[in-house]
Amino acid sequence: MTLREVCGLTTEQVAAAFLTTAPTLAQRIVRAKSKIRDARIPYDVPERSDLPERLASVLHVVYLVFNQGYFSQAHLALEAIRLGRLLVELLPEPEAIGLLALMLLHDARRATRTSAAGELVPLEEQDRSQWNHAQIKEGVALVERALSSRSFGPFALQAAIAAVHAEAPTAAATDWQQIAGLYEVLLRAEPSPVIELNRAAAIAMRDGPSTAWH
């Protein structure tokens, strides 16, 4: 409901973010509104002491907005980055810093992600000279800041993986050993089939396809 009512995404966009249909998502929003109305839940600006426990949900929303913009509407991605900067100023927690780094590192490749015909260009085929290297430098510095805290989480780990890709001068020079290790840590922090698949792909790039099957 936050994505729809506060961030202004359409029902279809929110449904795509949650991998569901628009009618199903619309029903969820209606039920949520009814619950708020019937329970007379007020809208209150949280006290500063309440912010840390709400941070994870806010970071998730901002990242969903970024993803929507990253794949279709650049202005949404830029707005998510702006919100990420505000969050780091307000609550400079490792995961807030990690999310900002992750968004900056992904967005740094925006100019090379699609061809003139609008087709997606794989990472290994992108023209790295056209990446936003100032943005990459800022993102890498934020990753180092987040990881130095020793209390980082999934966003910081994903940003670290993105940083390894971004710093490689060529696709062939990618440090797959480091990426595979980071995916191993990420898998323990946030188990999911997608992370498991990405980890297997990294191992395949490092050791060969046959090793990745085991």
Side-chain angles (χ1 to χ4, degrees):
M1 194 172 75
T2 303
L3 289 168
R4 179 69 183 85
E5 304 300 331
V6 178
C7 299
L9 271 63
T10 66
T11 301
E12 289 74 18
Q13 288 173 324
V14 180
F18 284 94
L19 303 178
T20 189
T21 64
T24 299
L25 195 283
Q27 290 175 1
R28 291 180 183 174
I29 292 175
V30 169
R31 287 196 297 269
K33 288 182 176 180
S34 297
K35 179 179 180 180
I36 291 172
R37 182 193 64 233
D38 296 342
R40 297 185 178 181
I41 300 173
Y43 173 78
D44 292 321
V45 176
E47 298 292 335
R48 187 176 182 85
S49 59
D50 297 326
L51 297 182
E53 68 182 46
R54 302 187 182 199
L55 182 61
S57 297
V58 174
L59 294 178
H60 186 58
V61 167
V62 171
Y63 192 45
L64 287 173
V65 172
F66 175 79
N67 281 336
Q68 186 62 46
Y70 186 65
F71 287 108
S72 60
Q73 297 171 285
H75 73 279
L76 286 177
L78 295 177
E79 176 62 12
I81 290 173
R82 185 186 73 84
L83 292 174
R85 292 190 186 280
L86 289 175
L87 283 169
V88 170
E89 290 179 13
L90 184 64
L91 283 175
E93 299 291 333
E95 276 296 81
I97 296 169
L99 173 60
L100 177 57
L102 179 61
M103 293 189 295
L104 286 171
L105 290 164
H106 281 323
D107 188 66
R109 305 197 304 261
R110 176 158 37 98
T112 63
R113 286 189 64 253
T114 56
S115 66
E119 298 176 342
L120 286 176
V121 178
L123 176 62
E124 62 271 15
E125 297 177 14
Q126 292 176 15
D127 181 358
R128 297 180 183 227
S129 68
Q130 298 301 309
W131 287 358
N132 187 328
H133 293 281
Q135 204 162 294
I136 290 172
K137 183 178 180 180
E138 181 183 3
V140 169
L142 287 167
V143 168
E144 293 172 350
R145 179 180 168 190
L147 295 183
S148 68
S149 70
R150 301 292 181 181
S151 59
F152 52 83
F155 280 128
L157 288 166
Q158 290 177 68
I161 293 168
V164 176
H165 281 296
E167 290 191 299
T170 64
T174 302
D175 186 348
W176 289 107
Q177 173 73 23
Q178 188 174 358
I179 290 176
L182 286 166
Y183 270 122
E184 185 71 41
V185 179
L186 179 58
L187 188 62
R188 292 198 297 268
E190 190 177 62
S192 82
V194 173
I195 295 172
E196 182 71 54
L197 180 62
N198 286 333
R199 172 180 167 276
I203 292 172
M205 294 298 295
R206 183 190 66 188
D207 302 328
S210 60
T211 305
W213 285 108
H214 299 289

